[in-house]
Amino acid sequence: MTSTIVVFIMAAILDYFVGDPWGWPHPVRVMGWVISRLSKFSQQYCQSSLTQRLAGILLGLILIIGSGFFGFFIIQSARRLHPWLGIALESILLASCFALSSLRAAATDVLQPLTTGHLGEARQILSNYVGRDTETLSEPEILRAVLETVTENATDGVMAPLFYAIVGAFVPVVGAAPLALAYKASSTLDSMVGYREAPYTYLGWFSARLEDCLTWLPCRLTVITLALLSAKPLHVWRICRRDALTDPSPNSGWSECAYAAVLGVQMGGMNWYRGVAKDKPRLGDAINPITPTSIYTALQLTQYSFLLWLGVAAILLVIRH
C-alpha cells in the first residue's frame, strides 16, 4: 500500500519536473515503432476488408496486452533485485503515461512566439501538434487550436491513464503502471491507425472503437470533476448535455465542452485539413474570447483534477489497508 502511494507521488513529480526528455527511451516511442511495423506488414499481406479487420484486432490485442504484460514483467523483475528498484522503475514507467508536462510544453511552444508577434513561427510550431492546416490561421484561430488540443488531450493523455493506474493499484498483483501502459498502448494505436480514411479504414476500426470504450468512463468522471472544481456544476453539465452530443466523437466533444463551459469560451468551428474544409460543432458559449490566459487556466484545471484524483486514490489505498 505504502509503496503504491510512493509510486503515484514519484510519477507525478517526474512528469511535472522532468516530462519527456527529448531523445530518451520512451515506452510510447517503442509502441509507435511496433505499431508502424505491424501495420505495414498487415497492409502488405492483408488485402481484403475482412482480413484487414482481423489483422486490426490482432494488432490491437498484441500491443495492448503485450504492453501491460511487458510493464508487469520488468517491474516484477526489478522488485526481485531490490524493492526500491521496483518502485523507481514503476514510477518512471507510470510517469511516461502522463502527458500533462508535454501538453504544457506544447502550449508554451506555440504561445511564446504568438504573444511576441511572430505569427508565422507560431503557425509553424502549431503544425507539429495538430492535424489541421495552419498556414493561414489567424491569431484567434491559433489560440482556439491550442485550447482544443490541450482540452481534448487532457482526458486521454492525463486523466484516463491516471484512472487506469488507480484501477490497477486496486487489482491484486497487477499494479498501477501495467494497466496504465495498456491504456497508453490503446491510445497510441488510436492516434496512429484509428482513422476512417484509407489505408486504415479497416485495419484501425478495432483500435478506434476500443479506445472510445476505454476512455468513456474516465472522460465522464473528468467532466464531473471539472464541473465540481468550477463551483457551477449544473451549468457545466447543462452545456455539455446541450453541445457535447453534437460532436461525432463520444469523448473528445465532452472533454472540450467541459472546459469551454468552465472558461466561458466557445470551441469548434471551421477547420481545414489538407485543403478540405470541415465544420466542427460549436461547443460552449462565446462569453469570453480565447486568450493565452484561457489556455493556461485549462492546463491548471487539468492539474487540479489530476491532483484531486491522486489524493482520493491515496486516501482509498490507506482505508483499504
Side-chain angles (χ1 to χ4, degrees):
M1 180 273 296
T2 303
S3 64
T4 304
I5 295 175
V6 171
V7 166
F8 276 113
I9 294 173
M10 287 180 63
I13 292 173
L14 284 171
D15 177 58
Y16 186 82
F17 288 104
V18 180
D20 298 327
W22 182 255
W24 284 32
H26 195 286
V28 174
R29 295 192 186 100
V30 177
M31 293 174 190
W33 183 86
V34 174
I35 294 168
S36 178
R37 296 301 183 276
L38 290 180
S39 61
K40 286 179 181 178
F41 179 84
S42 300
Q43 289 167 353
Q44 182 178 357
Y45 292 99
C46 302
Q47 302 298 324
S48 69
S49 61
L50 176 60
T51 54
Q52 285 194 12
R53 286 181 184 273
L54 293 174
I57 295 173
L58 192 60
L59 171 63
L61 294 177
I62 288 173
L63 198 80
I64 294 169
I65 296 173
S67 297
F69 179 79
F70 182 73
F72 175 81
F73 175 76
I74 60 174
I75 290 167
Q76 293 301 318
S77 299
R79 281 179 177 168
R80 290 190 183 95
L81 295 175
H82 196 282
W84 279 104
L85 180 60
I87 289 173
L89 183 59
E90 186 169 12
S91 300
I92 293 170
L93 288 174
L94 184 56
S96 73
C97 297
F98 301 145
L100 184 55
S101 179
S102 299
L103 287 178
R104 184 171 58 246
T108 303
D109 284 347
V110 178
L111 293 177
Q112 279 183 341
L114 185 67
T115 53
T116 55
H118 297 88
L119 191 61
E121 184 181 351
R123 290 168 177 162
Q124 180 60 40
I125 296 172
L126 179 63
S127 68
N128 297 323
Y129 300 111
V130 299
R132 72 191 70 181
D133 301 339
T134 63
E135 294 84 358
T136 60
L137 292 184
S138 63
E139 182 174 337
E141 289 173 324
I142 292 175
L143 290 169
R144 176 168 68 86
V146 174
L147 184 59
E148 288 173 354
T149 300
V150 163
T151 55
E152 178 183 352
N153 289 286
T155 295
D156 56 14
V158 181
M159 302 306 295
L162 177 59
F163 171 82
Y164 283 102
I166 293 171
V167 171
F170 285 91
V171 177
V173 183
V174 174
L179 212 57
L181 285 167
Y183 174 79
K184 202 68 180 178
S186 174
S187 179
T188 306
L189 276 162
D190 181 57
S191 65
M192 291 186 67
V193 301
Y195 300 101
R196 294 181 179 178
E197 297 81 14
Y200 302 115
T201 306
Y202 304 110
L203 183 66
W205 74 274
F206 176 78
S207 297
R209 302 299 186 280
L210 182 60
E211 200 274 343
D212 285 343
C213 294
L214 292 176
T215 307
W216 192 93
L217 180 56
C219 178
R220 271 63 184 175
L221 292 175
T222 301
V223 170
I224 292 171
T225 304
L226 291 168
L228 294 173
L229 288 174
S230 73
K232 45 183 179 182
L234 294 180
H235 168 75
V236 173
W237 189 252
R238 179 179 62 81
I239 297 296
C240 287
R241 289 286 299 172
R242 186 193 71 188
D243 296 344
L245 296 174
T246 64
D247 194 284
S249 168
N251 297 311
S252 63
W254 281 86
S255 184
E256 290 181 36
C257 195
Y259 284 93
V262 175
L263 298 171
V265 300
Q266 187 176 75
M267 288 186 263
M270 188 64 70
N271 297 330
W272 292 81
Y273 299 88
R274 298 176 185 174
V276 178
K278 184 177 181 180
D279 193 18
K280 295 190 68 177
R282 273 64 172 177
L283 305 173
D285 297 320
I287 300 169
N288 305 311
I290 298 175
T291 64
T293 301
S294 307
I295 295 165
Y296 287 122
T297 301
L299 288 165
Q300 198 170 41
L301 284 167
T302 305
Q303 186 175 355
Y304 289 158
S305 300
F306 181 90
L307 292 174
L308 180 60
W309 285 21
L310 208 61
V312 170
I315 292 170
L316 292 175
L317 284 167
V318 170
I319 293 172
R320 178 195 180 195
H321 182 73

